[in-house]
Amino acid sequence: MTPRPHGAHLPEERTESTAPLPPPELTEAECRRCGTYIAGLDGRYACGVCGWVNDHSEGHRRLPRADEDPDRPPKGRRRPKQLPWPPVQPAPTPAAEPGPEPPAGVLKES
């Protein structure tokens, strides 16, 4: 593994000159597939009726980079390990069912 130079500027580091992005704008349109009136952020839409989604490149502004996200966890913190979904549950054990009873009037032999 090659060590990083100490004086190198990494693109993921946030600098003072990086201005925060303006808040997203709520936009409205009709779904191109079914015509339902839908709302989205900055021209990016997803229809909850038919499932249509427009391409991310059709938005009015560029999408923010990960280092511009104010909710991004601090550097060096790792994402918690995800458990498998759905959780594995033990198989139910079948209960012993009694056998069929003889019809009325028939005697069991011993």
Side-chain angles (χ1 to χ4, degrees), residues 11-101:
E12 63 203 28
E13 291 177 356
R14 196 169 199 157
T15 61
E16 295 297 324
S17 62
T18 306
L21 292 175
E25 177 187 349
L26 184 63
T27 54
E28 299 168 342
E30 284 187 10
C31 173
R32 294 182 196 158
R33 185 183 297 165
C34 68
T36 302
Y37 191 70
I38 55 178
L41 296 176
D42 291 332
R44 293 178 179 90
Y45 304 104
C47 179
V49 176
C50 69
W52 172 82
V53 177
N54 72 333
D55 190 63
H56 73 277
S57 63
E58 297 178 31
H60 301 158
R61 292 187 255 183
R62 71 172 180 83
L63 292 170
R65 297 187 316 258
D67 64 341
E68 296 171 332
D69 184 1
D71 297 327
R72 184 178 184 191
K75 188 174 179 182
R77 184 172 153 208
R78 301 184 91 172
R79 178 180 296 208
K81 185 175 181 179
Q82 298 291 316
L83 297 174
W85 190 256
V88 180
Q89 296 188 6
T93 57
E97 293 184 23
E101 294 194 20

Side-chain angles (χ1 to χ4, degrees), residues 102-108:
V106 178
L107 297 174
K108 288 186 186 179

